[in-house]
C-alpha cells in the first residue's frame, strides 16, 4: 500500500485496461455527481417496503433495524413489526415484552427499548406527530446523528447528508482516501464531502442512492464496471479500489464459554429473566451462565440452579452446543437436559421470585429470548 505525506503529490498507477477515458476529477466536477447517481438509482433501485409511503415512522424503524442486520432479513422484521405496530401510537402503547419479541434476533435490545421510549416522547411532547427538525429528532432516545439525518432527509426532504459505512466506503474510493475513514483527518473529509454532494431539492433520492451504491456496487469487493461514478473514481483509476477504505484494525474476538439447562417438570420448562441492565437486559433465557475456566459445564449449570432458585437437579444424557458470534465475542453455549429428583410431584416446585417462571412450550415461543437461547430451544424441543 502506498504512503504519502499530507498535501504531497500522489503517484498514480497506470490506468487499468478498459479505464479510458482518463479520470474526471471528482472535486472539479462535483456538480455532475449527484445527477448521475440519482439517475442510476431511479433505474436500479430495489423495491423495499419502507420506500412506499416514506412516513417518518417507517423510515425511523427501518433505519434502526438496518443498523442490526442485512437488508433481506430486515425486510421480514420490518413487515412483522408493521403488522403489529403500524404507527408511533401503537408502539408507544405496546408492552415491553411485545416489542422485545418482535425485535428478537436483531440484538442490541437497548435499541428496541429506546424505540419505545422515543415513541412515548413523541406522543407526550409532540402530540403524536414525528418532529421534522434534525435537532428535534436527535433529541429522541436512541437516535444518533446518522439516524436523525436519515429521517430528516428521507422522510422530510431536508438537505442533510447520511453517512453510514456504505457511504464511507463509496467516498473513500471516490477520493482515494488513504487513511482509516473513522479517524481524523479522513473522518472530517468524508463528512464534508458527503454534505457538499447533497442537492437541495433531491436529498431523499441522493441519500438513498449513496447507500444503495455502497450496498450493491461499491461493496467490499467492488463491482466497478457497474458504477455510475466510474469515470470519477480515483481509487478505481489507480487500481486500488479493493484496498479502500484503509483498514483500521480493531480488537480481536474474545472467546466465551457458557451453559444453559433445559429443565422440565410436569410439561413446563424453567426460564429465568435477565437483569434490567446489561447484555440482553430483560430477556428470558434458560438457567445457566458463564463457565469458569477449569469447571465442567454440567457442574456450572447445577451450581447456578442451586444458587439462583434453590432447585436441585440431575443431569440427563444428551445435549450439545452451539456457537454464536456477537460483536467482539465468540460464544460457545453448551446445553444440557435436566430433571428434578422427584418427578412424581403433582406440580412444578415453587420459585423464589418473579424473575423465574415455569412456562409451556407455547408460552416459550412468545417470550423474547436471546438469539443463542432461541437456537437452543429449537434444538432441544425438537428432539
Amino acid at each position: 500500500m502506498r504512503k504519502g505525506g499530507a498535501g504531497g503529490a500522489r503517484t498514480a498507477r497506470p490506468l487499468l485496461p478498459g479505464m479510458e477515458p482518463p479520470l474526471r476529477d471528482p472535486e472539479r466536477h462535483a456538480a455532475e455527481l449527484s445527477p448521475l447517481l440519482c439517475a442510476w438509482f431511479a433505474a436500479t433501485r430495489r423495491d423495499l417496503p419502507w420506500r412506499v409511503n416514506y412516513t417518518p415512522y417507517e423510515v425511523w424503524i427501518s433505519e434502526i433495524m438496518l443498523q442490526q442486520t442485512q437488508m433481506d432479513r430486515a425486510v421480514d422484521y420490518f413487515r412483522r413489526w408493521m403488522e403489529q405496530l403500524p404507527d408511533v401510537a401503537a408502539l408507544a402503547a405496546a408492552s415491553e415484552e411485545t416489542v422485545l419479541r418482535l425485535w428478537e434476533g436483531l440484538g442490541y435490545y437497548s435499541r428496541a427499548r429506546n424505540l419505545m421510549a422515543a415513541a412515548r416522547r413523541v406522543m407526550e411532547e409532540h402530540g403524536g406527530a414525528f418532529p421534522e427538525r434534525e435537532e428535534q429528532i436527535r433529541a429522541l432516545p436512541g437516535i444518533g446523528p446518522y439516524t436523525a439525518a436519515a429521517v430528516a432527509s428521507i422522510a422530510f426532504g431536508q438537505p442533510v447528508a447520511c453517512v453510514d459505512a456504505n457511504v464511507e466506503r463509496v467516498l473513500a474510493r471516490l477520493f482515494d482516501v488513504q487513511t482509516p475513514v473513522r479517524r481524523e483527518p479522513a473522518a472530517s473529509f468524508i463528512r464534508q464531502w458527503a454534505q457538499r454532494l447533497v442537492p437541495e431539492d433531491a436529498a431523499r433520492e441522493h441519500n438513498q442512492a449513496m447507500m444503495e451504491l455502497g450496498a450493491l456496487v461499491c461493496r467490499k469487493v467492488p463491482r466497478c464496471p457497474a458504477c455510475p461514478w466510474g469515470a470519477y473514481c480515483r481509487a478505481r483509476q489507480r487500481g486500488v479500489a479493493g484496498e479502500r477504505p484503509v483498514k483500521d484494525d480493531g480488537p480481536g474476538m474474545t472467546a466465551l464459554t457458557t451453559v444453559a439447562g433445559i429443565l422440565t417438570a410436569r410439561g413446563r420448562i424453567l426460564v429465568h429473566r435477565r437483569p434490567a441492565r446489561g447484555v440482553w437486559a430483560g430477556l428470558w433465557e434458560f438457567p445457566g451462565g458463564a463457565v469458569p475456566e477449569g469447571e465442567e459445564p454440567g457442574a456450572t449449570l447445577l451450581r447456578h440452579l442451586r444458587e439462583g432458585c434453590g432447585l436441585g437437579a440431575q443431569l440427563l444424557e444428551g445435549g450439545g452446543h452451539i456457537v454464536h458470534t456477537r460483536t467482539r465475542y465468540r460464544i460457545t453455549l453448551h446445553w444440557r437436559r435436566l430433571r428434578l429428583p422427584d418427578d412424581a410431584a403433582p406440580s412444578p416446585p415453587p420459585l423464589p421470585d418473579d424473575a423465574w417462571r415455569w412456562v409451556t412450550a407455547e408460552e416459550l415461543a412468545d417470550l423474547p429470548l436471546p438469539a443463542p437461547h432461541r437456537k437452543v430451544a429449537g434444538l432441544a424441543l425438537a428432539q
Side-chain angles (χ1 to χ4, degrees), residues 39-52:
W40 169 84
F41 181 65
T44 62
R45 54 177 286 171
R46 291 171 289 184
D47 291 326
L48 299 170
W50 48 84
R51 288 179 178 169
V52 177

Side-chain angles (χ1 to χ4, degrees), residues 144-339:
Y146 166 78
T147 303
V151 175
S153 66
I154 297 173
F156 297 111
Q158 296 177 22
V160 293
C162 306
V163 181
D164 67 355
N166 283 322
V167 173
E168 289 172 345
R169 186 166 58 252
V170 168
L171 295 181
R173 287 171 175 162
L174 180 67
F175 295 103
D176 190 20
V177 176
Q178 300 184 25
T179 58
V181 293
R182 296 186 182 179
R183 294 187 188 178
E184 296 297 348
S188 293
F189 179 87
I190 293 287
R191 288 194 302 269
Q192 290 165 7
W193 268 104
Q195 185 60 49
R196 287 180 64 178
L197 293 175
V198 178
E200 288 283 334
D201 58 349
R204 171 187 291 172
E205 292 76 14
H206 174 89
N207 278 320
Q208 290 184 99
M210 286 285 284
M211 292 182 279
E212 195 92 329
L213 183 65
L216 299 183
V217 175
C218 198
R219 304 164 69 169
K220 290 182 180 178
V221 178
R223 299 172 55 212
C224 293
C227 183
W229 283 354
Y232 302 79
C233 181
R234 289 174 176 166
R236 182 191 182 199
Q237 293 273 331
R238 293 167 177 168
V240 294
E243 301 170 27
R244 304 290 180 266
V246 174
K247 291 183 179 180
D248 186 5
D249 294 330
M253 298 292 286
T254 299
L256 296 177
T257 301
T258 61
V259 64
I262 311 299
L263 175 59
T264 57
R266 311 302 290 175
R268 294 182 178 269
I269 306 157
L270 182 64
V271 292
H272 174 253
R273 192 167 195 173
R274 293 182 63 86
R277 294 183 179 275
V279 177
W280 294 319
L283 272 65
W284 293 88
E285 64 183 4
F286 299 114
V291 178
E293 185 175 355
E295 188 171 55
E296 197 275 325
T300 300
L301 179 56
L302 295 177
R303 178 170 53 79
H304 274 277
L305 279 169
R306 289 193 304 271
E307 296 173 355
C309 62
L311 290 179
Q314 297 172 346
L315 293 169
L316 299 176
E317 295 296 326
H321 75 275
I322 64 167
V323 176
H324 178 79
T325 301
R326 181 184 182 275
T327 55
R328 300 192 301 273
Y329 296 95
R330 185 177 185 271
I331 303 168
T332 300
L333 173 59
H334 297 268
W335 61 274
R336 299 291 301 273
R337 295 184 183 280
L338 307 109
R339 71 177 181 88

Side-chain angles (χ1 to χ4, degrees), residues 114-125:
N114 282 332
L115 287 172
M116 295 175 60
R120 290 167 182 169
R121 187 173 296 181
V122 170
M123 297 301 295
E124 294 166 1
E125 299 181 5

